[in-house]
Every structure is written in structure tokens, then in C-alpha cells.
Amino acid sequence: MAKSTNTPSDSAPKKAKKPNGFQQFLQVFQMTRKADPNAVWLMLLVFLGVTAVSLLIGFLLDNWITGLIIGILLGILGAVFILSRRAERAAYAQIEGQPGAAGAALNSLRRGWIVEEQPVAVNPRTQDVVFRAIGRPGVVLVSEGPSVRVRQLVDGERKRLVRILPNVPIHVIETGRDEGQTPLRNVAKTMNKLKPELTKVEVAAVSKRIASLGTRLPIPKGIDPSRMRPDRRAMRGR
């Protein structure tokens, strides 16, 4: 009777290989080109412009070969920089207007912030939401929805926080394209510009104080910030 030659490793499903650096770059490039066709021409213009200037300087210094080599390297660096900027814009354009987009924008924050992935205030009927982040500037409430409509949610959350954290600064950022609102791609930048008011120890204490309340709200259908995170590698052009 013939014995089976299959081994556990043969029957086990093979794990999908992660894309290497070049494949990731290619994915970012294709995504950006699809969302913003002008990005390719701008990258080419920057590359040729930087290379031409460096080559001209090389001719003036009677060393055009070195000038050409340096120009090509700087031109590639400049083109990649343009790609990273355009990729970031394209990544946010893909999620803008979708439920939970404000929460996704918070995931691009640098270290030092404690971000609640789930909204802290929700209007199930309109799907307006308020997200929260805690950092050295204090507590930041990031709203998603028309200003007039979401204001009641923001005010309710702010009053609740003031009762338990009377001496902690509370900031509000409204996301959107209307007057007085902050575009998604500028949310992290706006928060990082806020003046630090707390120490790292105080930030941790504030987070524990809020967590001790143990209030969690049901997430309306369609809102899942954990699945809408902008690709950080794409935003950096890596």
C-alpha cells in the first residue's frame, strides 16, 4: 500500500508575499497617475529642470560629467518628492466624503498622540461623527459632517470632557471643504501645530481618566476607520 508523500508544509496555504520596495513604489505611482494624471508631467518637468540646471553648472565649472550625475540624482529625488505629495493628496481624495474619513485622517498623526479609532459621538440618523485624539496640546475633537448639524455632537462631548477634565485644553477641528472647515489632508498638520500644554505624563493620565469612563458607542453601518487608513507608505512615496 503506497504511503502518501504529502507533508504538512505541502498542504498548508502559502502566505502572500509582501511587495518589495520597487513594487510598492510602482503601486504608488500607478495609483497617483490614475487619480492625478498631471503628476507624471510635473515629475518629468522637475527631473529635467533639475538635471539641466546641474548640467549647466557643470559646464561652467568645466566638469559636466559630475554635473550630469549630480543632476540626475537630484532630479530623481525631486521627482520622488513630487510623487509623495501628489500620492498623499490622491490617498485622501479616495476617502474624502466617505463615513469615517475623519477618523482615517487621524491615523497619519506622528508619535505622541493617543487616537481613538472609534468615534466618541455619533448621530446614527445622519452618520455625523466626532473622533477624539489626546496629545500634548490637550484633547482634540475632530468632527465629520456639516457644521450646523454636527455642532450639537461636538458641544455635548466637550461639556462631558470639561466636567471630568476641567483644566485640560479642548480643541475642535471640523473637517470638510466649507468655510471654516479643515480639509482631510490638513488635519494632522493642523493638530501638530497646536501649542503643547501638557507633559507626556499628563497626556497618559488624561487618557486613563477618559478610558475609566468606559463609554463606547455603537458605530453606524458604513463607518470603520480601521479599514480606511490612508497608506502611509503611499503618502511618503515609499
Side-chain angles (χ1 to χ4, degrees):
M1 184 174 180
K3 294 183 179 181
S4 173
T5 57
N6 291 338
T7 61
S9 59
D10 295 332
S11 59
K14 294 183 179 179
K15 294 183 179 180
K17 292 183 179 180
K18 294 183 178 180
N20 56 35
F22 177 77
Q23 290 173 331
Q24 290 176 349
F25 178 85
L26 187 60
Q27 291 174 357
V28 171
F29 177 79
Q30 291 174 341
M31 181 270 293
T32 306
R33 183 180 61 178
K34 183 178 180 180
D36 184 7
N38 292 329
V40 178
W41 297 107
L42 184 58
M43 290 171 61
L44 182 60
L45 180 62
V46 169
F47 173 77
L48 294 177
V50 172
T51 303
V53 171
S54 182
L55 182 60
L56 178 60
I57 295 176
F59 273 118
L60 294 176
L61 298 177
D62 198 22
N63 191 354
W64 68 270
I65 296 178
T66 301
L68 178 61
I69 295 174
I70 294 176
I72 291 175
L73 295 176
L74 291 178
I76 293 175
L77 186 62
V80 170
F81 176 78
I82 295 298
L83 177 62
S84 67
R85 291 292 185 179
R86 295 285 178 153
E88 178 181 356
R89 185 176 301 179
Y92 280 118
Q94 289 181 349
I95 65 172
E96 192 168 13
Q98 298 184 30
L106 292 177
N107 288 302
S108 62
L109 284 168
R110 302 171 186 170
R111 292 181 179 178
W113 289 93
I114 301 173
V115 178
E116 293 279 350
E117 291 192 354
Q118 296 183 1
V120 296
V122 180
N123 185 330
R125 184 174 60 83
T126 62
Q127 291 196 353
D128 295 338
V129 293
V130 177
F131 291 90
R132 183 176 62 216
I134 307 167
R136 294 197 61 193
V139 179
V140 180
L141 301 177
V142 181
S143 67
E144 178 182 306
S147 298
V148 176
R149 205 169 63 193
V150 78
R151 188 171 299 160
Q152 184 176 358
L153 287 178
V154 173
D155 290 343
E157 179 63 18
R158 182 175 2 199
K159 290 177 181 178
R160 190 175 73 92
L161 291 174
V162 168
R163 287 197 297 267
I164 62 174
L165 303 168
N167 299 319
V168 177
I170 300 175
H171 310 272
V172 177
I173 296 177
E174 296 184 3
T175 62
R177 291 286 182 177
D178 295 335
E179 184 178 355
Q181 294 185 328
T182 303
L184 284 178
R185 61 189 180 91
N186 293 337
V187 169
K189 185 188 301 183
T190 301
M191 293 176 63
N192 287 324
K193 286 183 178 180
L194 294 174
K195 182 181 178 181
E197 300 285 351
L198 307 177
T199 65
K200 293 182 179 180
V201 175
E202 289 172 334
V203 170
V206 168
S207 178
K208 289 181 179 179
R209 173 60 176 160
I210 295 177
S212 66
L213 299 178
T215 56
R216 282 191 173 274
L217 299 174
I219 301 178
K221 185 178 181 181
I223 297 181
D224 190 355
S226 64
R227 295 185 180 181
M228 295 181 59
R229 299 179 183 179
D231 188 344
R232 295 189 183 185
R233 292 182 180 273
M235 293 163 58
R236 292 193 295 263
R238 296 179 184 175

